[in-house]
Amino acid sequence: MPLISEPIPIFLTVMAIILLAPLLLGRLKIPNVISLIIAGVAVGPHGFNLLARDMSFEIFGQVGLLYLMFLAGIEIDMYHLKKNITKGLVFGAYTFMIPLVAGAVAAMVFFDMSVLTGVLLGSVFAAHTLIAYPIVSRFGLTKTPPVVIAIAGTIVAVLGSLIVLAGVLGVEREGSIGSLFPILGALVAFCIGVIYIYPRITRWFFKNYREPVPQFIYVLVMVFLSAAIAKWIGIEGVFGAFFAGLVLNRYIPARSPLMGRLEFVGNAIFIPYFLIGVGMLIDLHVVVAGWSTLYVAGVMTAIAMATKWLAALATQKTFGMDSLARSIIYQLSNAHTAVALAVVTIGYSMNLLSVEILNGTVIMILITCTVSSLGTESAATRMRLRIIEDSDDDSTRKESPVPRTLVTVANPLTAPGLVDLAILSRDPSLSGPETQLCALHVRTDNSSSSREIGRRTLELAEKAAAAVENTLTPIERVDNNFINGVVNTMAERDISEVFIGLHRRVGVIDTFMGDKIEQLLIATDRMVVITRLFIPVNTVTRIIVAVPPKAQYETGFRRWVEAVGNIGRQLGCRVIFHCSPDAAPLIATVLRRARIELRTEFETMETYDDFVIQSREVLDDDLFIVVSARRSSLSFSSDMDSVPSFLQRYFSRHNIIILYPEQFGTEPTLTIADTMLADTVTTPGRLWIRAKEAMRSLDRVRRRLLGHTLPRSHRGRPDGE
């Protein structure tokens, strides 16, 4: 009988363990993962018997394991996953087949098992659990290739082990593996169904329900629904949770409030519950139960660790990776917990495996979890240091100054969205006090209602930034007009870029941009980003960017390209640049130097008239970014005068951003030697460029004379709607 049996004391004890165990054992340099497992051993039925491993630990432990796999899927950078998918599948094949074959042979040699039972025990060695994943997550390494490869290989190994288990049970019960084929068919149908249904439901739900609590509950429902269906068709729920994470990955950006809530709840409650429950399963008394148990445990542990190391080594040699990458892959795949215990328990209940194998598995779990956690901590530390050193030593990368961003907020309803977009446009490494992120509310009167609106708007903006661990400075200013308030704040704070929402037209004579924005563009030469989003930014499917000719010569070229690249990277969507052939290599150069990896496409656009023809490609779920220019800038042309009316006429229901780059600023620009334009600095080269520009101008005049005008309808809407 455990000493603590009442619900409230049980929950209090667990919370105290989650709080104190990492703090106390952390002084001994013991990782948090091992601290919680050790605490579970101490308070469990095989320790001081303070707590029983009752139904609460069964439920929360299972939820914690599913949550762990879900976070592994949701935090993967899909760009890097697709980039490393071949390596992940190869590692998955290695880390499944090598332990399976070696384990089956060892079982027949050392334990005198039959072929069927040996294969079952081999599947125990093949499966592993990402129990050290929170460690690499804490170091910010979840998007590095070795971690992505290890995660992809984990799913292959777990799925393969479960299929082997189903095949062995089919042979044992029915004398054939015929029961395995329906499971494989159901698995294929399950994957296709989730890939087709989940994105459509998720996009609809996020568009119609933007409150944080319903979105959080919705994600949990979809994850556990996927896990339940996977369990129902005969595949372990961990696969369903991980697969749901991969599919939902696209709609939960890494720097979003929803991701922050998901990680917080998982790391604070569910995953620690799972780790404590694992510790409560471990019975240290089996170590002294007899030499047979020690013999079995020693052989099993040696096979498990050696075969996983061989799999990591084979992956390293196959793809020419370094030893640190191999160490990360090996340590992440070295821990055996839930799946191994489930396979052994089922085999023991069917009299296929002995009690010595069951006890040996428990000892193997303890040793492999300890080695995996300690090894991952060491390898992750070295990789983090290498990344920092590479960043410091990269002499080819020209660092841009840290942007000082001002978000003008006037409405409590739109303030969080503006702040989210501004944060998405910045380098993810910029967080904390160095972010230089400000929110400004300008009011022209001192009434109580105006003060209340300003206070509420800034409060919501500050909460939006805090939800993604960014520091925002709220500024409330009383001035004689909005423009003076913004310009004076920019001068006082040395602001380099402004995010502002597009106004709503209130009259026939009102312009598309509005008088305030037009005056702001005249009053400042800093980058101005004007936004209008009808849908949540995380539901955007593509980003389409219209880049005017000569945009690469503007002072703010580097910053706006990095901003667009950061948004695309955070959303995980494709970015299509419509630009001149001269600008395309420069855009790619900026993205490469900023280490922004994302899916990009380049379409040729000589003039803005060219984009008019392609305007039908912009869909309702796309984000359309128009890079414009001030009249005195190099890239300004007469075509830009018609852009506002064009946007109002044909994109009145679309998500748009109008971006005015910085002009005459101090931001470093790309040198001629950095680009393919180095060959055009000679006099003949300049003459050739001017000749091409003249030919394009003549062609534009010719098309206009032939009647080339804006399309009369756009996406089936009546003219002028």
Side-chain angles (χ1 to χ4, degrees), residues 27 58-59 107 121 186 259 331 336 371 413 425 453 567 631 635:
R27 295 177 178 272
E58 292 286 345
I59 295 175
L121 187 60
M259 175 62 85
Q331 298 296 352
H336 298 70
V371 173
L413 297 177
S425 70
I453 292 176
I567 294 174
R631 285 189 172 273
S635 59

Side-chain angles (χ1 to χ4, degrees), residues 77 143 253-255 397 400-401 403 405 420-430 497 499 527 537 543 545 558-573 575 577 587 590-600 623 625 657 659:
D77 188 325
K143 298 179 181 180
R255 303 181 73 192
R397 182 184 176 190
S400 299
T405 306
D420 289 343
L421 184 64
I423 293 175
L424 289 176
S425 70
R426 298 160 66 85
D427 189 335
S429 62
L430 297 177
E497 57 192 32
F499 282 74
M527 186 172 83
V537 67
I543 297 177
V545 188
R558 175 193 294 272
R559 171 57 193 144
W560 77 253
V561 172
E562 290 181 354
V564 173
N566 284 326
I567 294 174
R569 174 171 58 178
Q570 292 293 320
L571 298 181
C573 61
V575 181
F577 292 94
I587 293 174
V590 172
L591 294 176
R592 184 179 66 254
R593 290 191 170 182
R595 295 176 179 170
I596 299 175
E597 297 180 316
L598 73 164
R599 293 176 294 164
T600 56
L623 175 58
I625 300 179
I657 290 179
L659 194 151

Side-chain angles (χ1 to χ4, degrees), residues 57 60 67 136 180 230 281 309 339 396 398 401 420 439 450 511 544 549 693 716:
F57 282 96
F60 278 95
Y67 213 101
V136 295
L180 185 61
L281 289 172
W309 185 85
V339 179
T396 63
K398 294 185 178 179
D420 289 343
S450 179
T511 62
I544 300 177
E693 292 175 351

